[in-house]
């Protein structure tokens, strides 16, 4: 085997030298001119940077943009064509491994390395202690174990085993809207947290002020605060991670210390409870209990251990809570501006769902317009506007441009999902764009799920579960509630602000609306479900 490795290494060096000489003559992709030393570091806004990226691409008439972050190349991919070419078809060259001889050989000899990895940001992975999240791990055996375990439990077929948890949380949400109709984001946050806690840990959370959800929400916001490349100076100049927190300008160290405590508490507290429940035989079916059972049966033959289980369970909450909240909250905003969509959706629901029943997942195939609304919510105000960044392993050439090794690569999903050439009036909330004239889903329209969950082998493994959660909550709310703009005491309509918080996950700011039962029968249906659940408990 060794002679083959040596030969492969020699050939690889020759190829790299040839490629380097060839690509070194090529120009970099276009982009705004930067300042000496810092480049474009100060040009990138701290909020909604994906919009600025797209404006620059328009100004330079390009779908591949080059920026210089104080010596670190940053490349923005602004169209599906370039994302597909570089992150799908050429994924082998996008890895954040060290660019040393052995690593490069492994990439070309190991077929599994035709994947995309992540650049490591010191603020996240080292200072904040978020290295447990496999979505941001470097490629390698550790990442493979985490990804394999997640895929086993959340591929399209396996994820359906967790649908009862999703359905229960959804119907609890309906009751909360009866009791607290004005707290839209609070109700959705409780539902999302309840869903993830049940699926990941089998924990049935308290209806209000649950300690697990409280600590998890605080911890999740730490990741969102540090998610974008260049958000903190230490990510561009890693040597700053050694600066003591008492020094002027080292506020990021104090933040990281606080964030790390929150993240580790979120990581350990629910897992410990789930493990105790499993040991006592009092654990409902959930990700943790199923994994612990498999581990006990396989013993030393298992490809994973408890660390992998605990890491994945924690990553599930990070990935699934605010994303579900954001998608449904944005959907409601879109519905408020388009009452005709609500009317058509309710007509479909009344036709399909039997009287005296709430929508279930068995109805999904018969409710294409609800599916169209869900897809439009994912497209219109996409939850993660810039998909998680990658890192280029070796010099690459594309469209006559030189893409330098070590570049951070940012796919601009927002630009893809608001492309005027793909979607007519892309900033309008219009589910009909996904429907044919005969009332079926139009398969010819670009499906937003091709961009909103990420790309390539690094695509979100929980996407099937996430789509189901959004779909059933949208269907259920429209089935039993009228959703309208709120009015003040004088009868004046209160227009939603449509303001958002910028971050790795984009969240709408709190807004007011009117959510009321469509009828007395609808209210009794919701209460009846709540009462039946209480009697079973």
């Amino acid at each position: 085997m060794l002679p083959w490795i040596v030969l492969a290494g020699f050939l690889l060096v020759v190829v790299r030298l040839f490629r380097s000489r060839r690509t070194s003559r090529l120009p970099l992709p276009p982009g705004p001119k930067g300042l000496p030393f810092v480049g474009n570091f100060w040009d990138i806004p701290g909020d909604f940077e994906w919009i600025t990226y797209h404006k620059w691409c328009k100004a330079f008439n390009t779908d591949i943009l080059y920026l210089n972050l104080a010596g670190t190349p940053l490349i923005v991919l602004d169209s599906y064509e370039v994302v597909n070419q570089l992150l799908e078809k050429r994924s082998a060259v996008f890895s954040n491994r060290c660019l040393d001889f052995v690593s490069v050989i492994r990439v070309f000899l190991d077929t599994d390395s035709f994947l995309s990895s992540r650049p490591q940001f010191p603020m996240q992975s080292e200072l904040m202690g978020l290295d447990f999240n496999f979505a941001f791990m470097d490629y390698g055996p550790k990442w493979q174990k985490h990804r394999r375990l997640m895929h086993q439990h959340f591929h399209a077929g396996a994820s359906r085993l967790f649908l009862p948890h999703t359905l229960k949380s959804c119907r609890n949400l309906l009751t909360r809207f009866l009791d607290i109709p004005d707290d839209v984001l609070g109700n959705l946050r409780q539902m999302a947290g309840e869903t993830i806690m049940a699926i990941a840990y089998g924990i049935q959370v308290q209806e209000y002020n649950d300690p697990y959800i409280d600590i998890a929400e605080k911890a999740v916001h730490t990741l969102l605060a540090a998610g974008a490349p260049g958000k903190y100076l230490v990510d561009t100049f890693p040597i700053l991670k050694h600066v003591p927190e008492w020094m002027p300008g080292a506020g990021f160290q104090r933040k990281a210390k606080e964030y790390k405590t929150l993240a580790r508490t979120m990581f350990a507290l629910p897992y410990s409870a789930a493990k105790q429940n499993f040991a006592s035989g009092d654990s409902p079916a959930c990700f943790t209990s199923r994994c612990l059972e498999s581990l006990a049966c396989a013993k030393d033959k298992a490809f994973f251990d408890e660390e992998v289980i605990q890491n994945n369970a924690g990553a599930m909450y990070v990935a699934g809570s605010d994303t579900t909240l954001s998608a449904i909250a944005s959907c409601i905003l879109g519905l408020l501006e388009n009452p005709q969509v609500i009317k058509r959706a309710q007509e479909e629901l009344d036709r399909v769902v039997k009287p005296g029943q709430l929508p279930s997942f068995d109805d999904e195939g018969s409710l294409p317009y609800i599916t169209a609304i869900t897809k439009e919510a994912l497209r219109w105000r996409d939850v993660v506007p810039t998909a998680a960044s990658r890192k280029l392993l070796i010099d690459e050439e594309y469209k006559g441009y030189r893409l330098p090794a070590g570049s951070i690569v940012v796919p601009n999903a927002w630009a893809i999902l608001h492309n005027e050439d793909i979607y007519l009036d892309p900033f309008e909330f219009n589910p009909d764009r996904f429907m044919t004239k005969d009332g079926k889903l139009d398969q010819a329209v670009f499906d937003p799920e091709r961009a909103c969950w990420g790309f390539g082998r690094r695509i979100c493994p929980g996407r099937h579960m996430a789509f189901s959660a959004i779909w059933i909550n949208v269907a259920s709310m429209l089935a039993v509630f009228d959703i309208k703009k709120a009015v003040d005491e004088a009868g004046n309509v209160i227009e939603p602000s449509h303001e958002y918080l910028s971050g790795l996950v984009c969240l709408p700011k709190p807004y007011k609306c009117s959510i009321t039962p469509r009828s007395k029968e609808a209210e009794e249906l919701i209460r009846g479900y709540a009462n039946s659940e209480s009697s079973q408990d």
Side-chain angles (χ1 to χ4, degrees), residues 436-454:
T436 63
K437 292 182 179 179
D438 59 354
K440 298 179 180 179
L441 287 170
D442 191 344
Q443 303 298 328
V445 179
F446 183 87
D447 191 336
E449 292 194 72
R450 295 168 68 182
C452 69
W453 306 118

Side-chain angles (χ1 to χ4, degrees), residues 472-493:
I472 194 62
N473 279 280
V474 170
S476 299
M477 290 183 65
L478 287 171
V480 293
F481 289 121
D482 283 323
I483 302 174
K484 300 177 181 179
K485 293 180 180 180
V487 296
D488 60 21
E489 294 179 355
N492 300 313
V493 173

Side-chain angles (χ1 to χ4, degrees), residues 331-359:
C331 184
I332 294 173
L333 281 172
L335 294 171
L336 291 173
E337 302 297 343
N338 296 275
Q340 77 281 0
V341 173
I342 296 176
K343 181 181 178 181
R344 179 173 174 181
Q346 289 178 336
E347 288 174 350
E348 181 182 73
L349 286 159
D350 292 343
R351 186 171 60 252
V352 172
V353 181
K354 296 178 181 179
Q357 293 187 10
L358 291 167

Side-chain angles (χ1 to χ4, degrees), residues 130-149:
L130 296 173
D131 50 346
F132 69 85
N133 191 341
F134 82 97
F136 297 96
M137 285 181 185
D138 189 7
Y139 175 85
K142 184 177 180 180
W143 176 85
Q144 288 176 317
K145 291 179 182 179
H146 286 73
R147 175 74 187 200
R148 180 179 171 186
L149 188 62

Side-chain angles (χ1 to χ4, degrees), residues 197-458:
M197 282 293 170
I199 292 174
Y201 303 106
I203 293 175
Q204 303 303 311
V205 302
Q206 299 175 15
E207 190 166 350
Y208 302 104
N209 302 319
D210 182 82
Y212 292 112
I213 290 182
D214 181 61
I215 192 67
E217 284 301 322
K218 291 177 181 177
V220 165
H221 293 158
T222 68
L223 172 61
L224 305 186
K231 186 76 173 182
Y232 289 94
L233 198 60
V234 67
D235 290 333
T236 303
F237 302 102
I239 195 172
L240 294 177
K241 67 187 178 183
H242 301 295
V243 173
E245 63 180 81
W246 51 263
M247 286 191 64
F252 70 91
Q253 291 280 22
R254 293 185 288 274
K255 286 184 179 180
K257 186 176 181 180
E258 175 189 351
Y259 293 167
K260 187 171 185 176
T261 300
L262 287 170
R264 288 297 153 179
T265 304
M266 179 208 77
F267 176 73
L269 192 65
Y271 181 78
S272 177
K275 187 177 177 180
Q276 289 178 10
N277 290 338
F278 176 77
S280 64
D282 189 31
S283 176
C286 65
F287 171 77
T288 298
S289 66
R290 294 182 66 201
C291 290
L292 288 173
E293 184 177 3
S294 297
L295 189 62
C297 293
K299 297 181 180 179
D300 58 344
K301 295 182 179 180
F303 70 87
F304 61 95
D305 55 22
E306 275 202 55
E307 180 186 7
V308 177
I309 301 172
Q310 188 175 13
N311 288 350
N312 278 358
M316 285 170 61
Y317 199 100
V318 171
S321 55
D322 276 11
T323 51
T324 303
L325 157 64
S326 177
I328 300 174
S330 292
C331 184
I332 294 173
L333 281 172
L335 294 171
L336 291 173
E337 302 297 343
N338 296 275
Q340 77 281 0
V341 173
I342 296 176
K343 181 181 178 181
R344 179 173 174 181
Q346 289 178 336
E347 288 174 350
E348 181 182 73
L349 286 159
D350 292 343
R351 186 171 60 252
V352 172
V353 181
K354 296 178 181 179
Q357 293 187 10
L358 291 167
S360 71
F361 290 108
D362 292 336
D363 300 315
E364 187 171 353
S366 303
L367 295 170
Y369 197 63
I370 299 299
T371 301
I373 291 174
T374 304
K375 289 181 180 295
E376 180 68 344
L378 292 169
R379 184 206 68 82
W380 181 58
R381 300 278 172 84
D382 43 324
V383 174
V384 184
T386 56
S389 54
R390 317 291 181 91
K391 195 168 186 178
L392 187 58
L393 176 63
I394 59 176
D395 288 342
E396 183 64 18
E397 174 188 348
Y398 183 69
K399 288 188 174 180
Y401 294 123
R402 173 170 60 94
L403 311 183
S407 295
I408 296 174
V409 180
V410 178
N412 193 347
W414 179 87
I416 295 171
L417 295 172
H418 294 83
N419 187 333
E420 300 90 341
D421 296 330
I422 298 176
Y423 301 111
L424 182 66
D425 298 324
F427 297 99
E428 297 296 320
F429 184 85
N430 179 21
D432 291 87
R433 70 175 81 248
F434 297 107
M435 300 294 291
T436 63
K437 292 182 179 179
D438 59 354
K440 298 179 180 179
L441 287 170
D442 191 344
Q443 303 298 328
V445 179
F446 183 87
D447 191 336
E449 292 194 72
R450 295 168 68 182
C452 69
W453 306 118
F455 304 94
R457 289 292 301 274
R458 281 284 191 165

Side-chain angles (χ1 to χ4, degrees), residues 1 12 16 24 30 33 122 214 226 238 274 287 298 320 428 480:
M1 183 66 182
L12 186 57
R16 288 196 64 191
S24 64
K33 186 177 180 180
D214 181 61
F287 171 77
E428 297 296 320
V480 293

Side-chain angles (χ1 to χ4, degrees), residues 63-78:
D63 60 355
I64 182 166
L65 184 79
Y66 177 85
L67 301 169
N68 177 3
L69 296 184
T72 299
L74 187 146
I75 296 173
V76 178
L77 311 181
D78 207 61

